[in-house]
Amino acid sequence: MNTNLSFDYKKSDGFEYDRDFSVFNLLLNSNLTFSKGKVNFLIGYNNKNFGANNFYAPYPSKEWTKTKFFGVNSEIGKAKIKLYYRRHYDKFVLDINRPNWYKNEHFTDSYGMEICSFFNFASVGKILLGGEVREDLIQSSNLGNHSYYKFSLFSEYERIRNKFYLNLNLRGDYYSDYGYVFSPCFSISYLFSKELKIRYSMSKAFRIPSFTELYYNSPANKGNPDLKPEETLSFEFGIDYFYPNLFNFETTIFYRKDRNLIDWIRKRDECVWRAENIQRVSFYGVENTIKFKKFFSIGYSYIQSKLQRTQDFLSKYALNHPIHQINSSFYAVLPFKINFSVYGIYKKRKNLRGYFILDVKFRRKVKKGEVFIKILNLLDTEYQELPGINMPGRWILTGIKF
């Protein structure tokens, strides 16, 4: 048996008022191998407290969360069995200066089991068959008590023949609140040579609204019990080029069509964010990445969204995406065996000023662990990922991993 125990603790007084945090993580990972297979046990615990000034609403808020997780993954012959349980506790105070004005406290539980098995046929290909059962529950002082369950059956077919690669996924889900859903996925690729490959994929996806999106109710955010599930149809076409021992280049053109997209929106003259379905939205764009061996990479993505009707509202998440994004990374080994890495990203959203974030990291291995120093947002850039929420300036992290 091989067992690993890891933990980490982070604490900060925050870069501005009520943006302090403390985070503790504990993870136990154990593997048992025997003649007919192997079993993995995973036990996790997370305790996080953080100030959420202006994060959920224009108030100095505070949130306390605790998460416990247990999972078992086993492989016996050609069968894989997964069991899992997760309990999450959340306490939230909207205004710490008036703690009794608005607060909520809730527990959520998720548990389930998944079984699958694969079969290899030389003349046909590889086939995987499986099923899953899951239940989610919430007990909340604000959202009320709710639950749903689902049953799933899924299959995957994979075939490699000559220079063609074919993959077909079929999945059927039954939700206690929404009935039956069918989600297929198809992908195919062709290898022209050892250096050049083209690929195409098409998929259909389905997402039910969360308990928060359905039932949450506060002075700043209101859920919607009449929300419909999201439905997504996606298409991708790409080209990959591999130049041996020098660089890899990948480019992908994509188009995604969403129906009943769930987002938090509000009118420009309103203060309350409301969970709503956006009837029809299309996303399209291109992604490019080039990697030079292991020391440097750079990527560029362009994405646009188009509504069927005029957008007369503000979007908090789904439509608040960067139109242009450039990301790059660099890696080198310095004297004294110090590993040095740099990561930079530039984002430009519609009608907003673009910004550039630069992170650097130094690390050195010591016996069975490593010592590291991270400097995040080295240039101390002022920016917002979500409307009205300031992100941290320059900050330094240092620690030891073992």
Side-chain angles (χ1 to χ4, degrees), residues 22 48 79 91 125 148 155 166 170 174 208 217 230-232 248 276 279-280 288 303 308 348 351 353 368:
S22 67
K48 180 166 63 174
K91 178 183 177 182
Y148 75 86
S155 64
L166 174 67
L170 301 175
Y174 173 79
I208 68 171
N217 187 8
E230 291 181 355
E231 298 179 53
T232 301
N248 300 339
E276 297 288 348
Q279 293 300 316
R280 296 183 185 275
N288 301 290
I303 181 172
Q308 191 179 48
K348 174 67 173 70
N351 300 325
R353 176 178 59 89
K368 295 183 178 181

Side-chain angles (χ1 to χ4, degrees), residues 145-167:
N145 300 335
H146 307 277
S147 67
Y148 75 86
Y149 61 85
K150 74 169 186 176
F151 299 101
S152 306
L153 293 175
F154 55 87
S155 64
E156 180 179 354
Y157 173 71
E158 183 181 283
R159 179 75 185 273
I160 301 175
R161 184 175 178 84
N162 298 327
K163 296 182 178 182
F164 279 98
Y165 171 78
L166 174 67
N167 184 276

Side-chain angles (χ1 to χ4, degrees), residues 252-268:
T252 303
I253 301 171
F254 62 88
Y255 174 78
R256 194 181 88 209
K257 188 175 182 180
D258 286 72
R259 181 182 178 187
N260 294 322
L261 178 67
I262 300 172
D263 194 14
W264 294 87
I265 66 175
R266 66 177 174 85
K267 300 290 185 181
R268 298 183 184 277

Side-chain angles (χ1 to χ4, degrees), residues 7-171:
F7 65 89
D8 66 78
Y9 178 72
K10 301 175 185 177
K11 184 177 176 64
S12 171
D13 56 4
F15 67 96
E16 64 180 19
Y17 171 67
D18 189 38
R19 294 296 294 272
D20 57 302
F21 67 85
S22 67
V23 181
F24 174 73
N25 292 302
L26 180 66
L27 182 65
L28 177 66
N29 190 349
S30 184
N31 295 287
L32 175 63
T33 303
F34 51 95
S35 60
K36 293 186 178 181
K38 58 184 179 180
V39 180
N40 170 256
F41 300 92
L42 192 66
I43 301 174
Y45 175 75
N46 169 271
N47 189 325
K48 180 166 63 174
N49 308 324
F50 59 95
N53 185 35
N54 287 327
F55 193 81
Y56 302 108
Y59 301 100
S61 307
K62 189 82 171 181
E63 190 164 4
W64 298 261
T65 67
K66 295 179 182 179
T67 304
K68 302 173 184 177
F69 176 83
F70 173 75
V72 179
N73 294 287
S74 64
E75 294 184 23
I76 303 174
K78 294 184 178 181
K80 295 182 180 181
I81 303 174
K82 179 192 298 185
L83 301 171
Y84 56 88
Y85 172 77
R86 179 181 180 272
R87 163 159 276 214
H88 179 73
Y89 166 77
D90 190 307
K91 178 183 177 182
F92 176 73
V93 173
L94 184 62
D95 188 342
I96 55 177
N97 298 315
R98 296 177 289 169
N100 294 322
W101 173 51
Y102 177 87
K103 61 182 179 181
N104 67 64
E105 190 173 10
H106 65 253
F107 291 91
T108 55
D109 295 277
S110 300
Y111 57 90
M113 178 176 67
E114 180 181 303
I115 301 175
C116 65
S117 184
F118 66 90
F119 307 90
N120 243 327
F121 302 98
S123 60
V124 177
K126 183 179 178 181
I127 297 175
L128 181 142
L129 300 173
E132 179 187 13
V133 58
R134 170 174 173 157
E135 184 171 22
D136 288 74
L137 309 94
I138 186 170
Q139 301 176 56
S140 172
S141 60
N142 177 272
L143 285 74
N145 300 335
H146 307 277
S147 67
Y148 75 86
Y149 61 85
K150 74 169 186 176
F151 299 101
S152 306
L153 293 175
F154 55 87
S155 64
E156 180 179 354
Y157 173 71
E158 183 181 283
R159 179 75 185 273
I160 301 175
R161 184 175 178 84
N162 298 327
K163 296 182 178 182
F164 279 98
Y165 171 78
L166 174 67
N167 184 276
L168 178 64
N169 287 271
L170 301 175
R171 183 182 180 94

Side-chain angles (χ1 to χ4, degrees), residues 318-369:
L319 303 180
N320 183 38
H321 57 80
I323 296 177
H324 302 281
Q325 180 169 306
I326 302 172
N327 57 276
S328 62
S329 63
F330 174 79
Y331 172 81
V333 179
L334 304 180
F336 307 106
K337 298 181 180 180
I338 296 174
N339 295 282
F340 173 68
S341 57
V342 181
Y343 178 76
I345 186 167
Y346 171 82
K347 293 183 180 182
K348 174 67 173 70
R349 289 178 168 83
K350 185 177 181 180
N351 300 325
L352 293 176
R353 176 178 59 89
Y355 57 87
F356 177 71
I357 305 298
L358 185 67
D359 300 334
V360 299
K361 181 179 181 179
F362 301 87
R363 64 183 180 91
R364 189 183 190 280
K365 292 185 177 180
V366 289
K367 292 183 178 180
K368 295 183 178 181

Side-chain angles (χ1 to χ4, degrees), residues 195-369:
E195 295 82 21
L196 182 62
K197 180 176 74 173
I198 62 170
R199 50 190 162 79
Y200 171 80
S201 67
M202 178 180 65
S203 64
K204 182 181 179 183
F206 180 90
R207 184 181 80 85
I208 68 171
S210 67
F211 291 130
T212 299
E213 292 165 337
L214 288 168
Y215 307 113
Y216 193 75
N217 187 8
S218 79
N221 299 277
K222 293 189 180 297
N224 181 356
D226 296 322
L227 285 175
K228 298 177 182 178
E230 291 181 355
E231 298 179 53
T232 301
L233 185 62
S234 302
F235 303 89
E236 286 188 2
F237 174 79
I239 300 175
D240 302 336
Y241 183 77
F242 310 93
Y243 193 93
N245 301 317
L246 186 59
F247 70 88
N248 300 339
F249 173 74
E250 299 177 4
T251 184
T252 303
I253 301 171
F254 62 88
Y255 174 78
R256 194 181 88 209
K257 188 175 182 180
D258 286 72
R259 181 182 178 187
N260 294 322
L261 178 67
I262 300 172
D263 194 14
W264 294 87
I265 66 175
R266 66 177 174 85
K267 300 290 185 181
R268 298 183 184 277
D269 57 347
E270 294 179 343
C271 297
V272 178
W273 293 97
R274 303 178 184 275
E276 297 288 348
N277 286 117
I278 304 175
Q279 293 300 316
R280 296 183 185 275
V281 189
S282 298
F283 297 89
Y284 57 91
V286 61
E287 296 177 344
N288 301 290
T289 303
I290 185 169
K291 298 178 182 179
F292 292 89
K293 289 187 175 180
K294 295 182 179 180
F295 67 91
F296 178 71
S297 70
I298 186 168
Y300 168 74
S301 64
Y302 169 81
I303 181 172
Q304 280 282 9
S305 53
K306 183 179 180 181
L307 277 72
Q308 191 179 48
R309 62 185 179 88
T310 304
Q311 183 177 340
D312 56 352
F313 57 85
L314 297 175
S315 166
K316 194 172 186 179
Y317 299 111
L319 303 180
N320 183 38
H321 57 80
I323 296 177
H324 302 281
Q325 180 169 306
I326 302 172
N327 57 276
S328 62
S329 63
F330 174 79
Y331 172 81
V333 179
L334 304 180
F336 307 106
K337 298 181 180 180
I338 296 174
N339 295 282
F340 173 68
S341 57
V342 181
Y343 178 76
I345 186 167
Y346 171 82
K347 293 183 180 182
K348 174 67 173 70
R349 289 178 168 83
K350 185 177 181 180
N351 300 325
L352 293 176
R353 176 178 59 89
Y355 57 87
F356 177 71
I357 305 298
L358 185 67
D359 300 334
V360 299
K361 181 179 181 179
F362 301 87
R363 64 183 180 91
R364 189 183 190 280
K365 292 185 177 180
V366 289
K367 292 183 178 180
K368 295 183 178 181

